[in-house]
Amino acid sequence: MMKYVSTRGYEEELTGAQAIIQGIAPDKGLYVPKKIPELPFDLKDMVGKTYKEIAKPVIGAFFDDFTEEELTYCVDGAYDDKFEASNVVPIKKASGVFFLELFHGKTAAFKDMALSILPYLLTTSVKKENEEKKICILTATSGDTGKAALEGFADVDGTEIIVFYPQQGVSRVQERQMITQEGKNTHVFAIKGNFDDAQNGVKKIFNDSDFAKELELGGIKLSSANSINIGRLVPQVAYYVYGYIKLLEKEEIKLGEEINVVVPTGNFGNILAAFYAKTMGIPIGKFICASNENKVLTDFFNEGMYDINRDFYLTNSPSMDILISSNLERFLYEIYGGDTEAVKDLMESLETKGKYSISEDAKMRIENFYGGYADTETTVETIGKMYKDNKYLMDTHTAVAYKVYDEYMKQTRDKNITLIASTASAYKFAESVAKAIGIGREGSGFEYIKKVSEKTEVPIPKGLQNLEKKEICHRRVIEISEMKKTVSEALQ
Ligand SMILES: *Cc1c(COP(=O)(O)O)cnc(C)c1O
C-alpha cells in the first residue's frame, strides 16, 4: 500500500485518502508519496486509449487505497463534457512543437484538470475515513486556482469553500469569474496584498492549531485546494503520461524515445507533476522551467540558490507572479533522496533568511532542468509572432513557455520532440493577447474578448461568454491581517 509522509519528517504515515483530507502536515511539511509508483501498464498497450482510460490507472497507482469503483466514480465525474474539447486534452502542433492544451475545462485554465477531480477525491476520502466534520476548503489564488476550485466545490454537500485573491494581482476576467460565482457554500474575498501574502495568510491559518481546535468544536475541518494538497498534484501526472502516449500514437516518437517538456511555472506544481511522470517511467529528457520577471526559479536552476530577497513584479502572466513556489519543497525531498532533516533545514532557512542553497549532490540531480524567463514585452511579441506565422493563439503564460523553449533551442539545438504545457485559453488574458495581435485599445476588458474572437475566429470558451453580464455575488475587500477573522465569520 502507498504511504504518504511529510517532507519535514513528521513521523505519522498516511494513506492517500488521509493525506488528501489533511492537506498539509502538522509539521508544516507537504505530503509526498514515500516512494513514487511505477507506471501501472506497458505504454505500448495504452496507445489508442481515451484520457479517462489513461488517467484512471495513473491516479490509482498513487491512491491505491481507492477501490476500482471509487476511482471510476472520481474520473468519470471529473472528465466528462464539462471539458469542451474532445478527449479532454487536445495536442496541437505549431512551429515544430506540440502544445498540450490543458485549458478546455470550465474555467479555461489548466487548474481545471486537477480541480474538477479534487472534490470527488476529497468527498470519497471523507467517506472512506468516516470523517464526520464538514470540510472547509481554504484557498489562496493568483487567479486561476480560485475560480477552478469554486467551480469544483460549488454546492458540493459537506463542503464550504473560501477563496482569497490579491486585489491588484489578477486579470479583470479572472476577477469577474470569481466574484460572479454562484453556490451557497462559496465565499470570495479580495485582499490588500499580493499572492504571496494571500498564500502565507492561508498557510498561517492552517498552522494555527488553536484555531483548528476551535473550528473542530464547531464541526469543521480545514483542507486545501492549493497545490499543497497531494490530491491536486496526482491528477496532473496523468496528462503527461497521456501526452507521451498520444505522441506515440501519432508516430511522432518511438517507444522509449525521450521527449522534453516545457512548463510555465509559478508554484512548481505542474512541472513537478511532469517530474513524477518521469520517475514513474515516462522518458523525459529535459524539464524546461519557464518563469516571467519573477524569475526566482530561473536563478535557482542556474545557481542552486533560492532567494526571495528581490523585487516583486506584477506581469501580464499573473498566475506566475509568485516568489515562494510551495511545491519546490516536494522536489527538494526528491533531490535529497528523502532526507527530511535536510528539507526541514532548507525550509527554515527560507523562513528566516528568505533564501537557501542546495548541496553539491542535489545540484547534480537538477542537471536535467533548464530554467529561463521572458519579460512582459517579450511575451506580447511572442504571442504576436506565433499568431502571425502559424495562426496559433497562445495565452501569456504559454507564450512565456514558448519563448524560453525558443531560447533553449538556440543554445542547444536539442533534437528531442518537445511538449509544451499550454496552461490557459488566450481569452483569459484577452487584453494582452489583443495587443499582441494588433488590436487597438478598447473600452472595457471584456470588449477585448469580442475583438480577439472576431479577428481570430478561435471559439470563446463557454465560461467566458457573457461574463460581464453576470451578477456580482462577492464584493468584500479585506486587510491581510483580517484573513483569520474573515474565515471565522464566513463559517458562522
Ligand atoms: C497556475 C498557473 C500556472 C503555474 O502553475 P504552477 O503549477 O503553479 O507552477 C501557469 N499558467 C497558468 C495559466 C496558471 O493558471
Side-chain angles (χ1 to χ4, degrees), residues 172-223:
R172 308 234 341 231
V173 172
Q174 288 176 315
E175 177 173 57
R176 189 60 73 100
Q177 280 185 301
M178 288 189 279
I179 63 178
T180 57
Q181 177 67 46
E182 294 168 15
K184 54 186 183 311
N185 64 340
T186 64
H187 314 270
V188 181
F189 304 97
I191 66 152
K192 294 183 189 162
N194 63 34
F195 171 70
D196 287 318
D197 296 322
Q199 175 154 275
N200 280 332
V202 163
K203 274 194 183 164
K204 243 192 225 148
I205 296 172
F206 278 124
N207 292 326
D208 185 336
S209 51
D210 290 337
F211 188 53
K213 279 191 202 116
E214 195 182 305
L215 291 176
E216 299 222 350
L217 286 175
I220 288 169
K221 190 174 175 70
L222 293 179
S223 189

Side-chain angles (χ1 to χ4, degrees), residues 55 58 66 88 91 95 126 135 149 163 180 216 230 241-242 249 298 346 352 355 370 374 457 472:
V58 171
F66 281 56
V88 188
I91 298 176
S95 193
V126 163
I135 303 287
V163 170
T180 57
E216 299 222 350
I230 192 71
V241 177
Y242 176 81
E249 191 174 311
T298 308
L346 297 177
T352 54
K355 61 180 174 185
Y370 170 90
E457 294 178 9
I472 294 175

Side-chain angles (χ1 to χ4, degrees), residues 109-111 142 144-145 174 227 232 236 263-271 319-320 322 327 395 397-398 423-424 429:
F110 91 97
K111 303 289 197 295
S142 57
D144 292 330
T145 296
Q174 288 176 315
S227 51
R232 262 285 295 278
Q236 295 182 237
V263 186
T265 308
N267 236 335
F268 209 75
N270 201 1
I271 193 164
S319 304
M320 310 198 295
I322 291 174
N327 273 296
D395 94 291
H397 304 75
T398 308
T423 53
F429 306 94

Side-chain angles (χ1 to χ4, degrees), residues 285-406:
K286 276 278 176 200
F287 296 87
I288 298 167
C289 176
S291 303
N292 62 27
E293 281 109 315
N294 298 296
K295 61 179 186 62
V296 63
L297 286 166
T298 308
D299 297 341
F300 173 71
F301 285 113
N302 289 328
E303 293 152 24
M305 186 205 272
Y306 196 84
D307 186 355
I308 64 167
N309 301 299
R310 61 177 72 213
D311 290 337
F312 175 80
Y313 302 99
L314 291 175
T315 73
N316 60 357
S317 48
S319 304
M320 310 198 295
D321 289 346
I322 291 174
L323 292 181
I324 303 177
S325 305
S326 295
N327 273 296
L328 197 64
E329 181 169 345
R330 288 190 165 109
F331 184 61
L332 293 173
Y333 177 89
E334 297 300 324
I335 61 176
Y336 274 82
D339 181 349
T340 52
E341 278 306 309
V343 176
K344 199 167 144 191
D345 286 347
L346 297 177
M347 290 300 114
E348 262 164 27
S349 172
L350 183 64
E351 258 164 56
T352 54
K353 303 194 196 94
K355 61 180 174 185
Y356 60 80
S357 294
I358 59 170
S359 67
E360 290 306 315
D361 267 3
K363 270 185 201 157
M364 285 183 15
R365 297 204 179 133
I366 63 174
E367 274 172 3
N368 54 347
F369 278 71
Y370 170 90
Y373 78 104
D375 64 23
T376 290
E377 207 176 306
T378 312
T379 302
V380 169
E381 278 166 26
T382 305
I383 294 170
K385 186 164 187 317
M386 176 65 87
Y387 184 71
K388 188 163 153 276
D389 296 347
N390 304 284
K391 289 282 169 282
Y392 185 71
L393 198 60
M394 298 184 292
D395 94 291
T396 48
H397 304 75
T398 308
V400 166
Y402 181 79
K403 181 66 194 175
V404 173
Y405 156 78
D406 196 39

